[in-house]
Amino acid sequence: MVSRVRLVRMVLMGLVLGCTSPSGPTTPPPPFEGTILARRWSTATDPVEAPLLMAASGAERLVPIDLSLYWPGDGPEFFQFVIQENFDVSPDGRYLYVAVRERLLRFDLPDGGPPVDLIGAVNTKRVRVSPDGQWLAFQRPQHGEETWIVRVDGTGLRRVLPPASGPGAQYGVPTWVGPERLLVTSTLLHVEGPDIRVLDMRAPSWEPREIVGLRNAVSLGDHWALHAPANGDRIFVNELTPANRHELVEYRPDGTGRTSRILFPDGVGFRVLVSPDGRRAAAGTADGIYVYDVSSGREVGGPFGKPGRTEVPIAWTLAEYQ
């Protein structure tokens, strides 16, 4: 018979062995994969006029571009607005795309250097890269929020959706649902519910079709309202509960099959971004960026960024920067 003392020793030894490996203690997995492109809100004593790349290790670096070259005479407030809505990163993390007034620019992130002007003198905003890295979707505000697409080499420019109609109508940020479909929303002021359309590149022509079921999103014209993983098998919607808490809800691509994924704490959830693989969600707060696991709804990391500074997630690439 095993004595009580020996039994206790065996249990303790098993616990120790279960928490270690032959090479030492087990290293916990990182809270997220890849790199988040973020905007840090400027202050009077610490102005930030460029986006920054944030890694799960806590390392960060500013993107090496000088925005004042493209917006001469504008102050930090304008830079912050531009960074918030008009940047995206290619899936491989190599290129940064910027929609600026009359340009659509491509920057080489690893090497730096001058940008490539893709389409010339065309007023642009809200650029989004397709999951396969082949197309850019953007809007032309001077034409009533038209939606356009162009290949990443600057060819194939065409309009795919005319201006939103109705008093106060405007289109929200285009959202790619897989590499061949683009979801666009139109918010009509003083009218209940948004007009949500999907454009299918596989069809003979890009005729808009309404998606039923996605009518509870918060501020559908906003950058953080709709998300989709790179494979397009789901759509994530940022909804507001009756108790005024933000909730990340998952739908099938056709708008059916509502599943609640993350109920964010009070004061968290307005600025949310879902990772390209659909496994993580990043939420920007006044204390930094927190990361959540989509399947369990639990917080898994954060805050990332400067202590006490508002950080906003803008884009996410699975490529990693040191």
Side-chain angles (χ1 to χ4, degrees):
M1 179 179 295
V2 179
S3 68
R4 180 176 300 179
V5 173
R6 186 179 178 188
L7 180 62
V8 171
R9 287 177 178 173
M10 292 172 63
V11 171
L12 291 175
M13 182 61 71
L15 291 174
V16 171
L17 291 175
C19 297
T20 60
S21 64
S23 59
T26 303
T27 302
F32 67 88
E33 295 182 4
T35 307
I36 295 175
L37 180 73
R39 163 199 167 187
R40 174 169 294 152
W41 285 41
S42 298
T43 66
T45 58
D46 186 13
V48 177
E49 297 181 355
L52 63 151
L53 297 165
M54 306 176 67
S57 64
E60 62 179 50
R61 68 179 176 90
L62 291 178
V63 175
I65 61 174
D66 184 358
L67 298 184
S68 64
L69 296 176
Y70 310 102
W71 301 283
D74 290 304
E77 295 81 7
F78 181 75
F79 292 129
Q80 291 185 22
F81 169 77
V82 170
I83 292 171
Q84 177 171 303
E85 287 202 327
N86 301 323
F87 281 59
D88 204 3
V89 181
S90 62
D92 60 5
R94 179 176 178 181
Y95 297 113
L96 173 71
Y97 296 95
V98 186
V100 300
R101 288 189 171 166
E102 294 185 355
R103 298 182 184 183
L104 185 58
L105 303 176
R106 185 184 70 212
F107 291 85
D108 192 310
L109 275 178
D111 301 330
V116 176
D117 192 342
L118 295 176
I119 58 176
V122 176
N123 201 352
T124 63
K125 71 175 186 177
R126 293 173 169 172
V127 62
R128 287 295 173 267
V129 189
S130 63
D132 60 3
Q134 299 301 308
W135 290 91
L136 304 175
F138 64 94
Q139 293 176 333
R140 297 182 64 182
Q142 80 274 33
H143 290 277
E145 309 287 354
E146 293 178 345
T147 302
W148 289 65
I149 60 169
V150 66
R151 292 188 181 91
V152 293
D153 62 1
T155 63
L157 177 67
R158 63 185 172 120
R159 188 183 78 168
V160 295
L161 200 62
S165 60
Q170 60 179 356
Y171 280 126
V173 178
T175 301
W176 288 96
V177 184
E180 297 179 318
R181 293 190 301 161
L182 185 68
L183 190 148
V184 184
T185 64
S186 172
T187 301
L188 302 178
L189 299 183
H190 310 299
V191 176
E192 183 178 355
D195 180 25
I196 305 172
R197 303 299 179 98
V198 61
L199 307 171
D200 196 333
M201 294 183 68
R202 296 166 296 185
S205 61
W206 274 39
E207 295 295 332
R209 295 183 290 106
E210 184 176 4
I211 289 185
V212 179
L214 305 181
R215 295 189 172 273
N216 298 318
V218 177
S219 181
L220 276 174
D222 197 278
H223 175 78
W224 300 280
L226 292 166
H227 313 274
N231 62 9
D233 65 345
R234 292 165 286 168
I235 297 174
F236 292 101
V237 180
N238 189 359
E239 300 186 1
L240 195 64
T241 70
N244 288 325
R245 291 178 63 181
H246 287 265
E247 182 179 21
L248 189 68
V249 179
E250 177 185 312
Y251 291 89
R252 299 188 186 97
D254 62 359
T256 62
R258 183 184 189 278
T259 303
S260 175
R261 288 301 183 188
I262 303 174
L263 182 62
F264 294 100
D266 289 337
V268 178
F270 176 72
R271 302 177 178 93
V272 172
L273 194 66
V274 176
S275 63
D277 56 12
R279 297 177 57 245
R280 295 288 190 263
T285 74
D287 299 318
I289 292 177
Y290 290 84
V291 177
Y292 294 80
D293 178 72
V294 170
S295 62
S296 67
R298 296 195 305 266
E299 179 188 315
V300 294
F304 296 94
K306 278 190 175 182
R309 293 294 297 276
T310 300
E311 312 279 359
V312 177
I314 300 173
W316 203 324
T317 171
L318 294 182
E320 296 186 359
Y321 294 90
Q322 301 299 324

